[in-house]
Every structure is written in C-alpha cells, then in structure tokens.
Short mmCIF file of all heavy atoms in Angstrom, two decimals:
data_model
loop_
_atom_site.label_atom_id
_atom_site.label_comp_id
_atom_site.label_asym_id
_atom_site.label_seq_id
_atom_site.Cartn_x
_atom_site.Cartn_y
_atom_site.Cartn_z
N ILE A 1074 40.74 57.29 -36.50
CA ILE A 1074 39.66 58.27 -36.58
C ILE A 1074 39.95 59.46 -35.68
O ILE A 1074 39.75 60.63 -36.06
CB ILE A 1074 38.31 57.63 -36.21
CG1 ILE A 1074 37.93 56.56 -37.26
CG2 ILE A 1074 37.21 58.67 -36.08
CD1 ILE A 1074 36.69 55.76 -36.89
N GLU A 1075 40.43 59.20 -34.47
CA GLU A 1075 40.73 60.27 -33.52
C GLU A 1075 41.89 61.13 -34.01
O GLU A 1075 41.90 62.34 -33.80
CB GLU A 1075 41.04 59.69 -32.14
CG GLU A 1075 39.83 59.15 -31.42
CD GLU A 1075 38.80 60.23 -31.12
OE1 GLU A 1075 39.21 61.41 -30.94
OE2 GLU A 1075 37.61 59.93 -31.05
N ILE A 1076 42.87 60.52 -34.64
CA ILE A 1076 44.01 61.28 -35.18
C ILE A 1076 43.52 62.27 -36.22
O ILE A 1076 43.93 63.43 -36.26
CB ILE A 1076 45.06 60.33 -35.76
CG1 ILE A 1076 45.77 59.58 -34.63
CG2 ILE A 1076 46.08 61.09 -36.61
CD1 ILE A 1076 46.72 58.50 -35.10
N ALA A 1077 42.61 61.81 -37.10
CA ALA A 1077 42.07 62.69 -38.13
C ALA A 1077 41.21 63.80 -37.53
O ALA A 1077 41.13 64.90 -38.08
CB ALA A 1077 41.26 61.87 -39.13
N ARG A 1078 40.57 63.53 -36.41
CA ARG A 1078 39.66 64.49 -35.79
C ARG A 1078 40.38 65.52 -34.94
O ARG A 1078 39.88 66.63 -34.73
CB ARG A 1078 38.65 63.74 -34.92
CG ARG A 1078 37.63 64.60 -34.23
CD ARG A 1078 36.74 63.76 -33.31
NE ARG A 1078 35.83 64.60 -32.55
CZ ARG A 1078 35.08 64.17 -31.55
NH1 ARG A 1078 35.11 62.89 -31.20
NH2 ARG A 1078 34.27 65.00 -30.90
N ALA A 1079 41.57 65.21 -34.46
CA ALA A 1079 42.26 66.04 -33.48
C ALA A 1079 42.69 67.38 -34.06
O ALA A 1079 42.98 67.51 -35.26
CB ALA A 1079 43.48 65.30 -32.95
N ASP A 1080 42.71 68.40 -33.20
CA ASP A 1080 43.26 69.69 -33.58
C ASP A 1080 44.78 69.66 -33.58
O ASP A 1080 45.43 70.42 -34.31
CB ASP A 1080 42.78 70.77 -32.60
CG ASP A 1080 41.26 70.93 -32.63
OD1 ASP A 1080 40.71 71.14 -33.72
OD2 ASP A 1080 40.64 70.82 -31.55
N LEU A 1081 45.36 68.77 -32.77
CA LEU A 1081 46.81 68.61 -32.71
C LEU A 1081 47.12 67.19 -32.26
O LEU A 1081 46.43 66.64 -31.41
CB LEU A 1081 47.43 69.61 -31.72
CG LEU A 1081 48.94 69.50 -31.47
CD1 LEU A 1081 49.72 69.85 -32.74
CD2 LEU A 1081 49.37 70.39 -30.32
N VAL A 1082 48.15 66.61 -32.86
CA VAL A 1082 48.59 65.26 -32.49
C VAL A 1082 49.98 65.34 -31.87
O VAL A 1082 50.88 65.96 -32.45
CB VAL A 1082 48.61 64.32 -33.70
CG1 VAL A 1082 49.20 62.95 -33.32
CG2 VAL A 1082 47.22 64.15 -34.28
N LEU A 1083 50.14 64.75 -30.70
CA LEU A 1083 51.46 64.57 -30.11
C LEU A 1083 51.95 63.20 -30.54
O LEU A 1083 51.38 62.17 -30.13
CB LEU A 1083 51.40 64.68 -28.59
CG LEU A 1083 50.83 65.99 -28.00
CD1 LEU A 1083 50.93 65.98 -26.48
CD2 LEU A 1083 51.53 67.20 -28.59
N TRP A 1084 52.98 63.15 -31.37
CA TRP A 1084 53.44 61.89 -31.96
C TRP A 1084 54.60 61.34 -31.14
O TRP A 1084 55.67 61.95 -31.05
CB TRP A 1084 53.86 62.10 -33.41
CG TRP A 1084 54.38 60.85 -34.06
CD1 TRP A 1084 55.65 60.60 -34.46
CD2 TRP A 1084 53.62 59.67 -34.37
NE1 TRP A 1084 55.75 59.34 -35.01
CE2 TRP A 1084 54.52 58.76 -34.97
CE3 TRP A 1084 52.29 59.31 -34.20
CZ2 TRP A 1084 54.12 57.49 -35.40
CZ3 TRP A 1084 51.89 58.05 -34.62
CH2 TRP A 1084 52.78 57.16 -35.21
N LEU A 1085 54.37 60.17 -30.53
CA LEU A 1085 55.37 59.53 -29.69
C LEU A 1085 56.03 58.37 -30.40
O LEU A 1085 56.79 57.61 -29.79
CB LEU A 1085 54.73 59.05 -28.37
CG LEU A 1085 54.54 60.10 -27.27
CD1 LEU A 1085 53.57 61.19 -27.68
CD2 LEU A 1085 54.06 59.43 -25.97
N GLY A 1086 55.75 58.18 -31.68
CA GLY A 1086 56.33 57.09 -32.44
C GLY A 1086 57.62 57.47 -33.13
O GLY A 1086 58.20 58.54 -32.86
N PRO A 1087 58.11 56.62 -34.04
CA PRO A 1087 59.35 56.89 -34.77
C PRO A 1087 59.29 58.24 -35.48
O PRO A 1087 58.27 58.61 -36.06
CB PRO A 1087 59.45 55.73 -35.76
CG PRO A 1087 58.69 54.63 -35.11
CD PRO A 1087 57.56 55.28 -34.39
N GLU A 1088 60.40 58.95 -35.45
CA GLU A 1088 60.45 60.30 -36.00
C GLU A 1088 60.10 60.31 -37.49
O GLU A 1088 60.60 59.50 -38.27
CB GLU A 1088 61.84 60.90 -35.79
CG GLU A 1088 61.92 62.38 -36.02
CD GLU A 1088 63.22 62.98 -35.48
OE1 GLU A 1088 64.10 62.19 -35.07
OE2 GLU A 1088 63.34 64.21 -35.46
N GLY A 1089 59.22 61.22 -37.87
CA GLY A 1089 58.85 61.36 -39.27
C GLY A 1089 57.72 60.47 -39.73
O GLY A 1089 57.26 60.59 -40.87
N GLU A 1090 57.24 59.57 -38.87
CA GLU A 1090 56.18 58.64 -39.28
C GLU A 1090 54.79 59.07 -38.80
O GLU A 1090 53.80 58.39 -39.07
CB GLU A 1090 56.48 57.23 -38.76
CG GLU A 1090 57.75 56.63 -39.34
CD GLU A 1090 57.98 55.20 -38.87
OE1 GLU A 1090 57.04 54.62 -38.27
OE2 GLU A 1090 59.10 54.68 -39.07
N GLY A 1091 54.72 60.20 -38.11
CA GLY A 1091 53.43 60.67 -37.62
C GLY A 1091 52.66 61.43 -38.68
O GLY A 1091 53.17 61.68 -39.78
N PRO A 1092 51.43 61.81 -38.40
CA PRO A 1092 50.61 62.56 -39.36
C PRO A 1092 51.18 63.95 -39.59
O PRO A 1092 51.95 64.48 -38.77
CB PRO A 1092 49.24 62.61 -38.69
CG PRO A 1092 49.51 62.46 -37.24
CD PRO A 1092 50.70 61.56 -37.14
N ALA A 1093 50.81 64.57 -40.69
CA ALA A 1093 51.28 65.91 -41.02
C ALA A 1093 50.86 66.89 -39.93
O ALA A 1093 49.73 66.87 -39.46
CB ALA A 1093 50.72 66.34 -42.37
N GLY A 1094 51.80 67.74 -39.55
CA GLY A 1094 51.52 68.76 -38.55
C GLY A 1094 51.64 68.30 -37.12
O GLY A 1094 51.46 69.09 -36.19
N ALA A 1095 51.95 67.02 -36.90
CA ALA A 1095 52.07 66.50 -35.53
C ALA A 1095 53.33 67.04 -34.85
O ALA A 1095 54.32 67.35 -35.52
CB ALA A 1095 52.09 64.98 -35.55
N TRP A 1096 53.26 67.14 -33.54
CA TRP A 1096 54.44 67.52 -32.76
C TRP A 1096 55.23 66.25 -32.44
O TRP A 1096 54.68 65.28 -31.90
CB TRP A 1096 54.02 68.19 -31.46
CG TRP A 1096 53.56 69.61 -31.63
CD1 TRP A 1096 53.24 70.25 -32.80
CD2 TRP A 1096 53.35 70.56 -30.58
NE1 TRP A 1096 52.84 71.52 -32.56
CE2 TRP A 1096 52.89 71.76 -31.21
CE3 TRP A 1096 53.47 70.53 -29.20
CZ2 TRP A 1096 52.59 72.90 -30.48
CZ3 TRP A 1096 53.16 71.66 -28.47
CH2 TRP A 1096 52.72 72.84 -29.10
N GLU A 1097 56.51 66.28 -32.76
CA GLU A 1097 57.39 65.17 -32.42
C GLU A 1097 57.74 65.25 -30.94
O GLU A 1097 58.34 66.22 -30.48
CB GLU A 1097 58.66 65.21 -33.27
CG GLU A 1097 58.44 64.97 -34.76
CD GLU A 1097 58.23 63.49 -35.08
OE1 GLU A 1097 58.30 62.66 -34.15
OE2 GLU A 1097 58.00 63.18 -36.26
N ILE A 1098 57.36 64.22 -30.19
CA ILE A 1098 57.62 64.16 -28.75
C ILE A 1098 58.48 62.95 -28.45
O ILE A 1098 58.14 61.83 -28.82
CB ILE A 1098 56.31 64.08 -27.94
CG1 ILE A 1098 55.38 65.25 -28.28
CG2 ILE A 1098 56.62 64.02 -26.44
CD1 ILE A 1098 55.92 66.61 -27.89
N GLU A 1099 59.61 63.19 -27.79
CA GLU A 1099 60.43 62.07 -27.30
C GLU A 1099 60.05 61.85 -25.85
O GLU A 1099 60.45 62.60 -24.95
CB GLU A 1099 61.92 62.39 -27.43
CG GLU A 1099 62.81 61.22 -27.00
CD GLU A 1099 64.28 61.52 -27.14
OE1 GLU A 1099 64.69 62.01 -28.21
OE2 GLU A 1099 65.03 61.26 -26.17
N ALA A 1100 59.22 60.84 -25.65
CA ALA A 1100 58.72 60.56 -24.31
C ALA A 1100 59.69 59.65 -23.55
O ALA A 1100 60.65 59.12 -24.11
CB ALA A 1100 57.35 59.91 -24.40
N GLN A 1101 59.41 59.49 -22.26
CA GLN A 1101 60.19 58.58 -21.41
C GLN A 1101 61.68 58.90 -21.45
O GLN A 1101 62.53 58.01 -21.47
CB GLN A 1101 59.96 57.12 -21.84
CG GLN A 1101 58.50 56.70 -21.83
CD GLN A 1101 58.28 55.32 -22.45
OE1 GLN A 1101 58.96 54.93 -23.40
NE2 GLN A 1101 57.32 54.59 -21.91
N CYS A 1102 62.01 60.22 -21.46
CA CYS A 1102 63.41 60.59 -21.58
C CYS A 1102 64.23 60.22 -20.36
O CYS A 1102 65.46 60.35 -20.36
CB CYS A 1102 63.54 62.09 -21.89
SG CYS A 1102 63.05 63.18 -20.53
N ASP A 1103 63.57 59.74 -19.31
CA ASP A 1103 64.30 59.27 -18.12
C ASP A 1103 64.78 57.83 -18.27
O ASP A 1103 65.53 57.34 -17.44
CB ASP A 1103 63.38 59.36 -16.90
CG ASP A 1103 62.10 58.56 -17.07
OD1 ASP A 1103 61.36 58.87 -18.04
OD2 ASP A 1103 61.85 57.64 -16.29
N ARG A 1104 64.35 57.16 -19.37
CA ARG A 1104 64.71 55.75 -19.57
C ARG A 1104 65.80 55.63 -20.62
O ARG A 1104 65.75 56.26 -21.69
CB ARG A 1104 63.48 54.96 -20.02
CG ARG A 1104 62.37 54.93 -18.99
CD ARG A 1104 61.15 54.22 -19.52
NE ARG A 1104 61.46 52.85 -19.96
CZ ARG A 1104 60.58 52.04 -20.51
NH1 ARG A 1104 59.33 52.46 -20.73
NH2 ARG A 1104 60.95 50.82 -20.87
N ALA A 1105 66.79 54.79 -20.34
CA ALA A 1105 67.91 54.60 -21.27
C ALA A 1105 67.46 53.90 -22.54
O ALA A 1105 67.98 54.16 -23.64
CB ALA A 1105 69.02 53.81 -20.59
N GLU A 1106 66.46 53.01 -22.46
CA GLU A 1106 66.03 52.24 -23.62
C GLU A 1106 64.89 52.89 -24.38
O GLU A 1106 64.19 52.24 -25.15
CB GLU A 1106 65.60 50.83 -23.18
CG GLU A 1106 64.35 50.76 -22.30
CD GLU A 1106 64.64 50.99 -20.83
OE1 GLU A 1106 65.74 51.52 -20.51
OE2 GLU A 1106 63.76 50.66 -20.00
N ARG A 1107 64.73 54.19 -24.24
CA ARG A 1107 63.64 54.88 -24.91
C ARG A 1107 63.90 55.00 -26.41
O ARG A 1107 65.01 54.81 -26.89
CB ARG A 1107 63.49 56.29 -24.33
CG ARG A 1107 64.65 57.22 -24.68
CD ARG A 1107 64.50 58.56 -24.01
NE ARG A 1107 65.55 59.51 -24.37
CZ ARG A 1107 66.73 59.57 -23.79
NH1 ARG A 1107 67.02 58.72 -22.80
NH2 ARG A 1107 67.63 60.46 -24.18
N LEU A 1108 62.80 55.36 -27.15
CA LEU A 1108 62.90 55.67 -28.56
C LEU A 1108 63.41 57.10 -28.70
O LEU A 1108 62.74 58.05 -28.31
CB LEU A 1108 61.53 55.54 -29.24
CG LEU A 1108 61.44 55.93 -30.71
CD1 LEU A 1108 62.26 54.99 -31.58
CD2 LEU A 1108 59.99 55.96 -31.17
N THR A 1109 64.63 57.26 -29.22
CA THR A 1109 65.22 58.60 -29.32
C THR A 1109 64.86 59.25 -30.66
O THR A 1109 64.57 58.57 -31.65
CB THR A 1109 66.75 58.54 -29.18
OG1 THR A 1109 67.27 57.70 -30.22
CG2 THR A 1109 67.14 57.96 -27.83
N LYS A 1110 64.89 60.58 -30.66
CA LYS A 1110 64.61 61.35 -31.86
C LYS A 1110 65.69 62.42 -32.03
O LYS A 1110 66.22 62.94 -31.05
CB LYS A 1110 63.23 62.01 -31.78
CG LYS A 1110 62.09 61.01 -31.65
CD LYS A 1110 60.73 61.70 -31.76
CE LYS A 1110 59.59 60.70 -31.64
NZ LYS A 1110 58.27 61.31 -31.89
N ARG A 1111 65.99 62.75 -33.30
CA ARG A 1111 67.04 63.74 -33.56
C ARG A 1111 66.57 65.16 -33.23
O ARG A 1111 67.30 65.91 -32.59
CB ARG A 1111 67.44 63.68 -35.04
CG ARG A 1111 68.13 62.39 -35.46
CD ARG A 1111 68.70 62.50 -36.87
NE ARG A 1111 67.66 62.86 -37.83
CZ ARG A 1111 66.85 61.98 -38.42
NH1 ARG A 1111 66.96 60.69 -38.13
NH2 ARG A 1111 65.93 62.37 -39.27
N GLU A 1112 65.37 65.52 -33.66
CA GLU A 1112 64.89 66.89 -33.48
C GLU A 1112 63.45 66.92 -32.95
O GLU A 1112 62.53 67.41 -33.61
CB GLU A 1112 64.98 67.66 -34.79
CG GLU A 1112 66.39 67.83 -35.32
CD GLU A 1112 66.42 68.61 -36.61
OE1 GLU A 1112 65.34 68.90 -37.16
OE2 GLU A 1112 67.52 68.93 -37.09
N PRO A 1113 63.23 66.39 -31.76
CA PRO A 1113 61.87 66.48 -31.20
C PRO A 1113 61.56 67.90 -30.75
O PRO A 1113 62.47 68.67 -30.42
CB PRO A 1113 61.93 65.53 -30.00
CG PRO A 1113 63.36 65.60 -29.56
CD PRO A 1113 64.17 65.75 -30.82
N ILE A 1114 60.30 68.23 -30.74
CA ILE A 1114 59.91 69.53 -30.20
C ILE A 1114 60.12 69.55 -28.69
O ILE A 1114 60.55 70.55 -28.12
CB ILE A 1114 58.44 69.83 -30.57
CG1 ILE A 1114 58.30 69.99 -32.08
CG2 ILE A 1114 57.95 71.10 -29.86
CD1 ILE A 1114 56.90 70.31 -32.54
N PHE A 1115 59.83 68.41 -28.04
CA PHE A 1115 60.05 68.29 -26.60
C PHE A 1115 60.56 66.90 -26.27
O PHE A 1115 60.12 65.91 -26.87
CB PHE A 1115 58.75 68.55 -25.81
CG PHE A 1115 58.36 69.99 -25.73
CD1 PHE A 1115 57.38 70.51 -26.57
CD2 PHE A 1115 58.98 70.84 -24.82
CE1 PHE A 1115 57.02 71.83 -26.50
CE2 PHE A 1115 58.62 72.18 -24.75
CZ PHE A 1115 57.64 72.67 -25.59
N ARG A 1116 61.50 66.84 -25.33
CA ARG A 1116 61.88 65.60 -24.67
C ARG A 1116 61.29 65.66 -23.26
O ARG A 1116 61.63 66.56 -22.49
CB ARG A 1116 63.40 65.43 -24.61
CG ARG A 1116 64.05 65.17 -25.96
CD ARG A 1116 65.54 64.89 -25.82
NE ARG A 1116 66.12 64.46 -27.08
CZ ARG A 1116 66.66 65.28 -27.99
NH1 ARG A 1116 66.68 66.59 -27.73
NH2 ARG A 1116 67.14 64.80 -29.11
#
C-alpha cells in the first residue's frame, strides 16, 4: 500500500523487479556480499 502511495520509491531489491519509476539503489556498497546491480542510480 505504501509503495503505491509514495511519490518516489527507492528500490533496494533485485534490479528490474521494483515498481515502475523506482530508483534503483545498490545499498550496503561497503559489504562484499551485497546485492550488486549493473546500472543503479546510486551505490
């Protein structure tokens, strides 16, 4: 419900699986075992 209500979603999940218009964020970039993304807007 909150995802649908939001003006913007920061998507920290697998690349391409977030809602339309979400920003792809590669979080925890200081960790070697993080979920990596090919073209995130921000690491």
Side-chain angles (χ1 to χ4, degrees):
I1074 294 174
E1075 288 297 331
I1076 289 173
R1078 181 185 175 189
D1080 298 306
L1081 176 66
V1082 174
L1083 302 184
W1084 179 249
L1085 279 64
E1088 194 166 8
E1090 297 183 12
W1096 284 13
E1097 294 282 358
I1098 304 296
E1099 183 179 312
Q1101 303 172 325
C1102 68
D1103 58 300
R1104 297 176 57 182
E1106 66 276 17
R1107 69 184 183 276
L1108 175 66
T1109 60
K1110 299 188 179 186
R1111 294 189 304 275
E1112 297 181 353
I1114 295 181
F1115 284 101
R1116 290 185 172 91

